[in-house]
């Protein structure tokens, strides 16, 4: 066992599995994925409640409700997909990246609709951080060493 990323764990029968332990950066990316999912859910709920502001027109209320519902659903989907990252699933990494890109686009639309919501900016920073961690450093090398797109 040369380093922690190449360690294999013994199974109950005494044999070793061929999987490697994920690097700490990937664990951070998974946690950021979960935090992004929770932040998306909360920001979508808050955005949907902002439709009740007295100065919003009927069209604005409709758009705000649709965007808020999409953000909540995206957050739920983000949480379910983030679990596949620790099993070195390339498809999970790509899907999480796509979901984070969609989240950033929806957050941009939410900022146009309601520019005074600071938590949306925090969500964009979280999403950008997660994408950066997923595609750089030891995390990128961890995914490059897997043989197929579906490993787990």
């Amino acid at each position: 066992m040369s380093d922690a990323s190449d360690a294999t764990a013994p199974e109950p029968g005494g044999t070793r599995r061929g999987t490697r332990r994920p690097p700490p950066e990937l664990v951070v990316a998974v946690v950021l994925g979960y935090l992004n999912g929770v932040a998306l859910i909360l920001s979508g709920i808050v955005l949907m409640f902002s439709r009740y502001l007295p100065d919003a027109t009927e069209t604005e209320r409709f758009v705000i409700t649709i965007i808020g519902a999409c953000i909540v659903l995206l957050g739920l989907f983000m949480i379910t997909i983030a679990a596949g990252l620790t099993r070195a699933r390339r498809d999970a990494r790509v899907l999480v990246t796509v979901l984070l890109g969609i989240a950033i686009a929806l957050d941009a639309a939410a900022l146009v609709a309601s520019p005074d919501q600071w938590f949306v900016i925090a969500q964009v920073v979280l999403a950008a951080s997660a994408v950066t961690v997923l595609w750089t450093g030891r995390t990128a090398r961890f995914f490059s060493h897997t043989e197929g797109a579906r490993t787990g």
Side-chain angles (χ1 to χ4, degrees):
M1 288 187 210
S2 61
D3 79 328
S5 65
D6 291 330
T8 56
E11 294 205 354
T15 61
R16 294 192 176 266
R17 289 183 289 165
T19 59
R20 297 171 294 121
R21 189 176 306 169
E25 293 90 345
L26 182 58
V27 174
V28 168
V30 171
V31 170
L32 284 173
Y34 289 151
L35 287 175
N36 272 300
V38 170
L40 281 168
I41 292 167
L42 293 176
S43 64
I45 290 170
V46 169
L47 185 63
M48 284 191 284
F49 279 131
S50 73
R51 76 182 299 269
Y52 296 110
L53 293 173
D55 58 343
T57 66
E58 192 63 34
T59 304
E60 289 173 338
R61 287 183 181 151
F62 176 75
V63 170
I64 288 172
T65 303
I66 296 299
I67 291 173
C70 289
I71 290 174
V72 168
L73 290 173
L74 188 63
L76 292 170
F77 195 47
M78 174 71 66
I79 290 171
T80 39
I81 297 300
L85 293 174
T86 57
R87 294 187 300 267
R89 293 185 59 154
R90 291 181 189 172
D91 54 348
R93 179 171 73 153
V94 170
L95 191 53
V96 166
T97 303
V98 168
L99 289 175
L100 289 172
I102 293 170
I104 290 171
L106 285 173
D107 286 338
L111 282 174
V112 169
S114 300
D116 57 342
Q117 298 183 5
W118 60 268
F119 58 87
V120 178
I121 295 171
Q123 166 58 31
V124 170
V125 170
L126 265 175
S129 301
V131 170
T132 302
V133 169
L134 275 176
W135 292 93
T136 59
R138 284 193 288 181
T139 305
R141 286 191 299 274
F142 179 73
F143 282 101
S144 68
H145 292 297
T146 59
E147 294 173 11
R150 306 202 77 162
T151 59

